[in-house]
Amino acid sequence: DGIMGEGTVIITGGTFGFDPTTWVATGYKAVPSGSNFVVVSNDIDAVVSSTAELSDAIANGNANIVLAEDITYNTAINNNAVINLNNNTFEATHSFKLGNNADLTMIGGDYVANGTFGHVDVRPSTAEGSVVTFEDVNFSFNKLGPTYGPSTNRLGSVVEVCAEVADAHTKILFKNCTFDNAAVLFEGLSDKTGTIDAVFENCTFNALTSSAPVSVTNFVHGTIKMTGCTFNLECTSSS
């Protein structure tokens, strides 16, 4: 309705039911998203509100993307992408492949694995591999519950790194992330030994489980560094 009194309104983010361009700060823009406008920095290529929009934005080479709403997703990512979840929920209804040595960054929101296979499947296709970063992401696997029983709980994988070619290398960083009944797996295909450089920084692991929240299996070597991490784990088996 307008601004009353002295002062200046400067907007650098948020979702609005009207066009706030008049008050948007230098270096930012108001982008239409459905019936709303989302204020983002000028370096953002796309603001998306659906699975189809996100998939199309990535396929069209839009590297910097902001989510305007919660979405579900299960489509392969074959181009570099920086996805700002914008405090929304990214729900993986099935595993989806990160291929073509694409680099992926995901920032600021919830990642929910809503299925037996609801993980990012990092599959480097040459020795160069991918660089993957998750920052301020809350991972969770929502298939655990009373029907599983405390002695048989297994964590749902949210990220799996699997080498497809010999000596494929992957760098992956988890910073300020939370894992609720969620696991990260590093593995390789037969005779396709891969290398990993993995860092977990200020992460928290919460689980009642019979399996490990971080594991390395089959044909993989490299380094895993953990700093400032918290483990709230209760093992329900003799493992």
Side-chain angles (χ1 to χ4, degrees):
D1 294 331
I3 302 169
M4 299 180 64
E6 297 181 357
T8 302
V9 173
I10 300 176
I11 298 174
T12 58
T15 300
F16 301 85
F18 60 92
D19 186 351
T21 298
T22 300
W23 301 282
V24 170
T26 301
Y28 292 81
K29 59 187 176 182
V31 180
S33 176
S35 60
N36 296 318
F37 289 83
V38 179
V39 176
V40 296
S41 63
N42 284 338
D43 62 356
I44 296 300
D45 298 314
V47 176
V48 300
S49 302
S50 68
T51 303
E53 289 180 1
L54 176 57
S55 181
D56 289 345
I58 295 172
N60 290 330
N62 294 310
N64 294 303
I65 302 167
V66 171
L67 294 193
E69 299 180 13
D70 298 343
I71 69 165
T72 60
Y73 197 80
N74 60 11
T75 305
I77 294 177
N78 293 311
N79 290 320
N80 295 345
V82 177
I83 303 173
N84 186 335
L85 299 180
N86 195 28
N87 295 317
N88 291 300
T89 297
F90 180 102
E91 182 179 343
T93 56
H94 198 279
S95 61
F96 60 93
K97 182 177 178 179
L98 179 65
N100 199 33
N101 292 334
D103 296 336
L104 173 65
T105 296
M106 192 172 287
I107 305 168
D110 297 324
Y111 183 111
V112 178
N114 188 15
T116 304
F117 301 101
H119 56 267
V120 183
D121 191 6
V122 184
R123 294 270 183 152
S125 55
T126 72
E128 179 184 2
S130 297
V131 177
V132 184
T133 301
F134 296 96
E135 184 170 354
D136 297 314
V137 175
N138 303 312
F139 293 97
S140 63
F141 176 63
N142 71 352
K143 289 298 183 181
L144 294 183
T147 58
Y148 281 72
S151 64
T152 57
N153 279 354
R154 295 190 62 82
L155 303 188
S157 62
V158 289
V159 179
E160 294 191 13
V161 179
C162 184
E164 285 190 330
V165 297
D167 297 324
H169 184 69
T170 301
K171 294 184 66 175
I172 186 164
L173 168 66
F174 297 91
K175 184 175 182 180
N176 303 328
C177 293
T178 301
F179 298 84
D180 291 326
N181 290 325
V184 179
L185 308 179
F186 301 100
E187 57 188 344
L189 300 176
S190 179
D191 299 323
K192 305 297 184 185
T193 303
T195 62
I196 57 170
D197 180 3
V199 176
F200 294 81
E201 182 178 324
N202 298 327
C203 293
T204 300
F205 298 85
N206 302 311
L208 172 67
T209 178
S210 61
S211 56
V214 178
S215 63
V216 181
T217 61
N218 299 333
F219 310 107
V220 168
H221 59 86
T223 61
I224 297 176
K225 181 179 180 180
M226 293 188 171
T227 60
C229 293
T230 300
F231 300 87
N232 301 311
L233 307 175
E234 181 176 349
C235 185
T236 59
S237 72
S238 60
S239 300

